[in-house]
Amino acid sequence: MSIKKGKSTQRALLVLLTLAMFITIATAFAIYYHLERYAKVTDKMYKVQSLANKIVYFDEALTMSARMYAYEKDLQWYSRYQSLVIQLDHALNQASHEASSIHDLIEKNEPLNQKLISIEERSFADVRNNRLQQAQQTLKSPEYQALKQRYTNLVILTFQDIHNQLQEQQNNHRDWYQTFLWVLGLQVLGFVLVWFYLVNFLRLNVSRLSNLITTDDLTGLGNRRSFDDILQRELRRSIRDGKMLMLAVIDIDYFKKYNDYYGHPKGDQVLTMFGKLIEQTLRRANEFGFRIGGEEFAVIASVDSVEDGTASIEYLMLKLHKKQMEHKGNAETGQVTMSAGIAFHHADEIMTDEELYSAADKALYVAKERGRNQWVQYIDDKS
Ligand SMILES: Nc1nc2c(ncn2[C@@H]2O[C@H](COP(=O)(O)OP(=O)(O)OP(=O)(O)O)[C@@H](O)[C@H]2O)c(=O)[nH]1
């Protein structure tokens, strides 16, 4: 991907992410708003319902008190009637704060209310003048009954109306917040999916990148950087585990001449083929192959004995011979051959990676000096 394209993709991703964040925040606000409204409407419904119950109760109770007063002429009933009138007024006032239709109901039906009160007052006057039968008749009269019924019906219908309106609002808010909850759920799911995608994408790219950093493009073997790291690591491991470590530095003989004779692309093919041979030879987990320079390769292997190590390089040489690749610049064999310098790190030695590499390199030099197409093991003269 070009830098320009990468930057525009990044910008587009940033815009998308910002947009998605705004939508999520807006959705969360919408849920909060509708949930809050839903709770408020529900609360109001309970309040209105309880006021409606109170009003109907006070209304019936005050009629009952008026009747009882007409029958018993007991002043207790009269004062109960009066206290109920005050309580009813208070409840109606409270209800009119909750819903304007109650206020309208009180205003519009004031004449009807006054009529009822005047009939009740008339019966109370009869009671006071000991005309109890007259008082009872007044309260039982069809006119009073009809007015009372009308008043009660009006109250009930108004409250029913309010209840229906509130229920509609409640359902509306519930539908909205449930819809937004789904939207938020889908957004969260989307975020989770994008998150997983990004994490996977990054992980893949990181492993690709680390491969690129440590792999030689042409042969697919480890490159110089990974050679340095793995040589240090394996050396530490061999000292810790008390095992022998082999390092072989391998070079294609007269490779300059090969390039000169057959051309650079053909030279590349030889390098690729040799890289594959190394890969096929190194079968065990603790054996590693590298291309550490132009036509220079290396093998690091944890071995049980010197023979074990040299045998694997011998085997690699044999495989290369079997290929019988023509190399007219190689006057000795006429084929592509290799030379190798082998050095061992023994468990009881203390050697640095540089010392081990230098030893293998020296042995390679000797192999070249002795006529190439061979391996030479480094022997420390001082020991
Ligand atoms: N085709 C190809 N050639 C390369 C590459 N890297 C280095 N070379 C060539 O490898 C040759 C190495 O030459 P020298 O160091 O002189 O070694 P040599 O010719 O193999 O001689 P001896 O090692 O002494 O046998 C040079 O000609 C480099 O150009 C590569 O990636 N591809």
Side-chain angles (χ1 to χ4, degrees):
M1 192 190 288
S2 70
I3 293 176
K4 217 170 165 188
K5 203 172 167 194
K7 273 191 175 168
S8 67
T9 315
Q10 265 181 11
R11 210 169 298 140
L13 260 174
L14 211 73
V15 170
L16 267 177
L17 217 71
T18 316
L19 207 74
M21 256 173 61
F22 271 118
I23 294 174
T24 309
I25 292 169
T27 312
F29 267 114
I31 291 170
Y32 172 75
Y33 171 80
H34 287 290
L35 253 177
E36 206 217 3
R37 293 275 125 183
Y38 176 82
K40 272 193 176 154
V41 171
T42 309
D43 195 38
K44 196 168 180 172
M45 271 173 82
Y46 281 124
K47 256 190 200 163
V48 168
Q49 188 59 49
S50 103
L51 281 170
N53 291 343
K54 270 186 192 172
I55 287 164
V56 171
Y57 165 75
F58 292 149
D59 188 42
E60 274 177 16
L62 70 84
T63 311
M64 277 298 295
S65 305
R67 282 203 183 126
M68 290 309 288
Y69 183 54
Y71 277 98
E72 293 178 4
K73 203 194 166 184
D74 185 342
L75 271 173
Q76 253 188 19
W77 289 114
Y78 180 65
S79 55
R80 180 152 165 70
Y81 166 88
Q82 282 184 323
S83 123
L84 282 164
V85 168
I86 293 166
Q87 282 176 287
L88 179 63
D89 264 3
H90 183 65
L92 279 167
N93 266 336
Q94 269 187 303
S96 68
H97 282 300
E98 295 296 332
S100 58
S101 51
I102 300 289
H103 185 259
D104 295 345
L105 172 84
I106 298 168
E107 295 241 300
K108 264 194 216 153
N109 295 295
E110 187 54 25
L112 173 63
N113 195 29
Q114 286 306 322
K115 225 174 202 174
L116 281 167
I117 290 171
S118 76
I119 295 173
E120 282 154 7
E121 289 293 343
R122 209 186 323 138
S123 89
F124 296 150
D126 285 339
V127 175
R128 277 193 290 273
N129 294 324
N130 283 326
R131 293 196 295 269
L132 294 191
Q133 260 197 331
Q134 182 69 34
Q136 288 161 19
Q137 286 302 320
T138 307
L139 294 178
K140 272 189 197 164
S141 72
E143 186 202 3
Y144 179 74
Q145 300 276 0
L147 287 174
K148 193 78 211 174
Q149 191 62 51
R150 214 173 117 204
Y151 184 80
T152 311
N153 283 349
L154 274 169
V155 170
I156 290 172
L157 281 175
T158 310
F159 273 105
Q160 190 65 53
D161 220 36
I162 295 167
H163 178 83
N164 290 344
Q165 279 173 22
L166 289 175
Q167 197 158 44
E168 202 177 315
Q169 284 177 26
Q170 192 193 36
N171 289 344
N172 249 342
H173 289 303
R174 193 195 49 220
D175 288 353
W176 276 116
Y177 86 67
Q178 281 180 351
T179 309
F180 282 120
L181 265 179
W182 272 106
V183 173
L184 189 72
L186 287 176
Q187 281 168 6
V188 170
L189 193 75
F191 274 129
V192 170
L193 289 178
V194 168
W195 172 258
F196 273 115
Y197 172 76
L198 280 180
V199 167
N200 253 351
F201 178 77
L202 281 179
R203 203 179 292 153
L204 217 74
N205 274 348
V206 166
S207 80
R208 258 190 217 146
L209 216 68
S210 69
N211 265 350
L212 274 180
I213 291 170
T214 55
T215 308
D216 171 52
D217 280 351
L218 191 67
T219 59
L221 294 174
N223 60 13
R224 178 81 205 205
R225 181 195 293 261
S226 71
F227 168 74
D228 290 341
D229 290 347
I230 292 177
L231 183 59
Q232 277 182 18
R233 190 190 73 197
E234 289 304 305
L235 204 57
R236 276 199 302 270
R237 196 205 299 271
S238 72
I239 292 169
R240 195 180 58 227
D241 297 350
K243 289 210 74 175
M244 192 187 285
L245 189 74
M246 177 193 79
L247 169 64
V249 180
I250 306 161
D251 191 282
I252 309 282
D253 296 327
Y254 304 115
F255 197 60
K256 184 178 176 321
K257 284 186 181 167
Y258 191 92
N259 270 337
D260 293 346
Y261 200 90
Y262 300 96
H264 215 266
K266 282 274 177 201
D268 278 359
Q269 280 178 15
V270 170
L271 295 176
T272 312
M273 174 278 300
F274 192 63
K276 278 206 185 94
L277 278 190
I278 290 183
E279 218 166 40
Q280 286 161 11
T281 312
L282 309 178
R283 293 241 169 253
R284 286 181 284 187
N286 49 7
E287 295 177 334
F288 308 90
F290 308 88
R291 181 179 170 223
I292 54 175
E295 26 72 88
E296 199 167 273
F297 293 82
V299 168
I300 299 172
S302 172
V303 289
D304 293 330
S305 63
V306 168
E307 292 72 31
D308 189 18
T310 52
S312 66
I313 301 304
E314 187 86 50
Y315 181 57
L316 180 66
M317 283 184 91
L318 196 73
K319 280 190 139 195
L320 183 62
H321 283 168
K322 276 189 180 166
K323 286 270 172 194
Q324 297 196 334
M325 288 185 81
E326 185 194 88
H327 183 355
K328 289 202 168 134
N330 188 340
E332 283 93 30
T333 61
Q335 279 183 20
V336 174
T337 56
M338 59 167 257
S339 300
I342 307 174
F344 289 93
H345 175 265
H346 298 269
D348 53 355
E349 279 177 323
I350 300 290
M351 229 176 169
T352 66
D353 50 332
E354 279 160 5
E355 285 166 343
L356 187 63
Y357 178 74
S358 158
D361 202 41
K362 276 180 191 156
L364 173 64
Y365 181 77
V366 175
K368 291 276 180 189
E369 284 290 299
R370 284 184 189 167
R372 297 174 177 82
N373 190 24
Q374 59 189 284
W375 59 266
V376 168
Q377 183 191 342
Y378 174 79
I379 307 288
D380 192 353
D381 297 339
K382 286 170 261 162
S383 62

